[in-house]
Amino acid sequence: MSGMWGNKIKLSIFGESHGKAIGIVIDGIKAGTEIDLEYIRKQMKRRAPGFSKLSTPRKEQDEFEILSGYFNGRATGTPLCAVIQNSNTHSKDYEKTASLLRPGHADFTGKIKYRGFNDYRGGGHFSGRLTAPIVFAGALCRKILEEKGIFIGSHIKSIGTIEDSKCFKFTSIEKSSLEKLSESKFPVLDENCGEKMQQYILKLKEEGDSLGGIVETGVINLPPGIGDPFFESVESTISGLLFSIPAVKGVEFGEGFDISKMKGSEANDEYFISDNNVIKTYTNNNGGILGGITDGMPLIFRTCIKPTPSISKAQKTVDIEKRKDALLEIKGRHDPCIVPRAVPVIEAAAALSLLNLMED
Amino acid sequence: MSGMWGNKIKLSIFGESHGKAIGIVIDGIKAGTEIDLEYIRKQMKRRAPGFSKLSTPRKEQDEFEILSGYFNGRATGTPLCAVIQNSNTHSKDYEKTASLLRPGHADFTGKIKYRGFNDYRGGGHFSGRLTAPIVFAGALCRKILEEKGIFIGSHIKSIGTIEDSKCFKFTSIEKSSLEKLSESKFPVLDENCGEKMQQYILKLKEEGDSLGGIVETGVINLPPGIGDPFFESVESTISGLLFSIPAVKGVEFGEGFDISKMKGSEANDEYFISDNNVIKTYTNNNGGILGGITDGMPLIFRTCIKPTPSISKAQKTVDIEKRKDALLEIKGRHDPCIVPRAVPVIEAAAALSLLNLMED
Amino acid sequence: MSGMWGNKIKLSIFGESHGKAIGIVIDGIKAGTEIDLEYIRKQMKRRAPGFSKLSTPRKEQDEFEILSGYFNGRATGTPLCAVIQNSNTHSKDYEKTASLLRPGHADFTGKIKYRGFNDYRGGGHFSGRLTAPIVFAGALCRKILEEKGIFIGSHIKSIGTIEDSKCFKFTSIEKSSLEKLSESKFPVLDENCGEKMQQYILKLKEEGDSLGGIVETGVINLPPGIGDPFFESVESTISGLLFSIPAVKGVEFGEGFDISKMKGSEANDEYFISDNNVIKTYTNNNGGILGGITDGMPLIFRTCIKPTPSISKAQKTVDIEKRKDALLEIKGRHDPCIVPRAVPVIEAAAALSLLNLMED
Amino acid sequence: MSGMWGNKIKLSIFGESHGKAIGIVIDGIKAGTEIDLEYIRKQMKRRAPGFSKLSTPRKEQDEFEILSGYFNGRATGTPLCAVIQNSNTHSKDYEKTASLLRPGHADFTGKIKYRGFNDYRGGGHFSGRLTAPIVFAGALCRKILEEKGIFIGSHIKSIGTIEDSKCFKFTSIEKSSLEKLSESKFPVLDENCGEKMQQYILKLKEEGDSLGGIVETGVINLPPGIGDPFFESVESTISGLLFSIPAVKGVEFGEGFDISKMKGSEANDEYFISDNNVIKTYTNNNGGILGGITDGMPLIFRTCIKPTPSISKAQKTVDIEKRKDALLEIKGRHDPCIVPRAVPVIEAAAALSLLNLMED
């Protein structure tokens, strides 16, 4: 516990990878909010598997059905439940190796936590599939933010050791650039680097290995004053939700870990009054957040995604039933690199966090 | 909002840097828990200012008074309130420059958030002083964990560009080494590096500048099975609380951001059965957490602290009253580097988070 | 907001009377808990409409489908979602009178609250149908309590002005008597009174009118020490959930409102040591709760249910579109008295509340 | 747990009757809210003991000190902590009878709950004294409501068997009448009945006995649309907080339990359009709440207070140390009837609940 999250907007997620369905209940969407199904489908399509050589062949349309809270094209203001059926499941793949702990997965910790009673098939509740409902909820919030002029976008900063040569300009990001990234199946600022990254992923795929990466996200046009000091700081809220996404191992804001290498005189973002009489900073090392509260500069954060633990290479492991060492060769179907599909999930987490922190 | 945090153990913090007092209410401490006042004082002493050339000359004993929930040396099981008086305040230092926004501080965001009604003196509620009550609560929890055999310790991994040459051995950390670090005023694994770091801090202090750094924390003897998938993952809970600490800009677990440079076959922690029939991993790149749940290996995380924003060097800023650009020279009394004093706060956050996630 | 409730066990309900489906997500059920589907069906059958002349002819099997959190007959420990399809809906009944506010219903308050965007058909989200998922969740908890030897039962204390001549013996209730009541379609202690009540309901039904009543509930074998002072008192928790049930207008514990007529010397429950060295009270005017905490005596409370607002008699109302007075004659299908169907809902609320307050 | 309550406004209470101090932290008061200390003192004076022959001679000024969240006469928007020192304690009164369970008190349940570690002196944390901080917080909220034109008032409907002959007119209550009641030390609608009640209390006091009563509360000018269906209904929220007040055993809204005696055609509040084009109801049997949401009519509820359990008459009890039956004669200082002092606490609970449910 808990599969429930939030204050102003509350989420309740449920489901297992090979169960009947996965889904989410969202409470707190204002009555009358237009629900743009096309927009939601577009966001979910960005995450859905099976549509690229870079992702698992498990093809899931991720077609959702809204069971409640939706009437005449709008949110009723009462809890909205959306369900996604699990169609394309190969449970057999898992049963034969059920007692072999997959390294890097939650097989072991899940067995301990749930005392052996959890649904192990395809990772069960731990599956990345559970991020689909989060993208659904995030799309609802993202649309609401866009109507306030707030836009979110990300580029893949690195895949393994290959970096995107370009970087967001922390002090100002173009809306058009964020939109372009959101349209891309493999969002990068430097297409050549993007090409190299994809080639590298395919190469590792052939080797039966996998890769991770870093995603850099920017949010523009946030008003200053969002968030709170201490327990509901913008960083606390966003990081708490980002670390709920399977495979995330690090989160940093602004210059993040590199800010520790600067002197105070370099790190401090000095103020000036811009032409239109808005208070801005010359630099944005703090990533748009001071004292846990937005300062009106672009919100910048980076999320680290570990390599997909599912690889077909043989791995040393333990047979937890027989209680002895063993060798594991995973068949199944897997993503050689989850990073591109993680991008919309990260953005959904940002949208959910920010809407939760905004005063109406 | 909110100054309240937690599930099994709930915190409610309050106070401003130059107000009458700061404090905390802690609810959920089991009735009968021995309250070791000396142990708590020791932890708070680690954070208290004014006891080293490296910290601000503002000397605060941080003597706490327990107002409730404490009877005959034990927790009563009802809410425990502890208050710390603000003794040594120089409010004058702030009034003359009240309308000048200090770069890197929350002056601007606080003014916007609270519409100009917040207590600005010494940063008011945003002051690092508010971490004293968190250390108080953390000490309570830390003692409870120690009685379960669970120990927490940290070393300063870097100050500015100077690194500790040694690193925690992720797969096994000695209890004695954690204890030694907890006793040290400036905890490092390589004393020579520690010397260099401290010299560097004093040098920057003379220049009227400041430094940040990275703290690496380890927790040993955690049983497997603590934490939950998704919204209450160990990473979500700890990072949420760490990012509540002023000046924290990045958090990573295990290999953190570097895990993104590995291949899956390198990143996965393979399993084996140890002599005493315990399931362990050969490596610990995941920092003791899989699927948001502890796996019994040492819990490892790093926290990035930005350079103290208060520097005496002149800085460009804005006079928010006069609505014009201005130059700021901060007098006051400040830490040239907050990292050593941040260590006990980070450890307190870990203790609070873990106790909150543990099943009784 | 909010459709989410609970601490140790969390609920998230959703749905509208004439939407696709209604349902619930339950988080916090211990992994490995046997899910007795027959037991749950039996509880839900007690609430289901259409199976008695006393209830609405709208026949709903209330067949639930478990989408998640359930594996090999047991709870997995992850969120359990159950969905109930809406089969037998006559939405037409409502559309023609959509703008006429039904007295005693939430038509007016719902329209204001949700600014006209809520699903009005059949009361939408306000429908008593939403209590079906609560009974589902309550049945799960009730079974867990029964395995601890704790039993819940209720008798209809009154319907309109007709009273059950018998009353629970506050100081000791037989398990067999609670079980007998749970088996009964119309639970009373004095069958003759039960007959009179049912005749009265049918008489009012013919008149196109309706009735309410009072339900008295007892819970036995609760250990002392459950609950907390103040905000999580047993009374606070149970009443909070009972008042979430549509049509409940009063809740009292033990002697309830009548205790205000006693003197302290009469009201105080004096203590004695029973044969088996258990501390008991001679009387139980406090209904098994002192200081918000159970004292080991039977827990006793009464819930007042108002008459079903849906009556076919003509009523004065307002046409909210035309903004003018109007006359309303409700057709549709309604319960002349909801009390018998409310009993299992009340018991579910008690089970949920108590399990939430119990230390593991 | 828990001593913490609320969503939009959060409370954290602490303290024991004979400890150093009691107090509260309030989070969520809007920055800039004027804090009218005189108004708060006036409300607290209404609850304070020792100022009437009807109450305990324990004289407590209940002088509060605000430690934080308050600056230049206004709320800063950060957590506001107020502390009340315990001055006039006679702990000796309790020590000699510490092992004798006082009937009607929480001595037994507290000992079990807290395994003997709680502070038993004067009831410790269970003491009615803990309602002083709730009145403090309620006064803050009540003032905010008054500025919105919303007024709260109560009359003592009965003391023991003596009733106030007059009753609130449910469909319209004069603001002046509520204000008059708030000024009165013993608020009733019929002064003669009030006289009789007070004489009765003094008579019982001489007999060493005590009395309870029923308080009827009205809130006027609430806009329609406050509250939610199900878990955050107005009734759920108010009753949850009312049942947190020691000695409360029953809560009902509108006609409450009596509504169960009416037919639907009598109970339903029919609608009409008033002169000023506002939608009103001819009657107000539902007490201003439909579907858990306010309908704009006066909010009406009644709270039942049990007789003060502390009486000087000899009572049968148990010596929990010696594990044997015993006789108890309480000396100490007690209220023969707590009802008049409970009135401001009940009103504070209503103010806190309503402000929590109001959309900004």
Side-chain angles (χ1 to χ4, degrees), chain D residues 95-114:
Chain D
E95 268 146 32
K96 49 179 116 59
T97 58
S99 67
L100 296 182
L101 305 173
R102 294 172 303 160
H105 275 287
D107 297 351
F108 174 55
T109 54
K111 267 200 163 62
I112 299 290
K113 170 84 184 175
Y114 300 112

Side-chain angles (χ1 to χ4, degrees), chain A residues 1 109 113 209-210 227-228 232 236 240 249 251 253 264-265 268 270 273 286 290 306 309 315-316 325, chain B residues 1 109 113 209-210 227-228 232 236 240 244 249 251 253 264-265 268 270 273 286 290 306 309 315-316 325:
Chain A
M1 264 252 283
T109 54
K113 170 84 183 176
D209 214 329
S210 67
D228 295 272
E232 284 183 12
S236 292
K249 298 304 281 189
V251 173
F253 293 83
S265 55
N268 283 350
E270 296 185 303
I273 294 191
N286 283 283
L290 286 168
K306 74 178 185 180
Q315 299 180 84
K316 297 205 196 82
D325 293 336
Chain B
M1 264 248 288
T109 54
K113 171 83 182 175
D209 214 329
S210 68
D228 295 271
E232 284 183 11
S236 293
S244 301
K249 297 304 281 188
V251 173
F253 294 83
S265 54
N268 283 349
E270 297 185 303
I273 294 189
N286 284 284
L290 286 168
K306 74 178 185 179
Q315 299 179 86
K316 296 203 195 82
D325 293 336

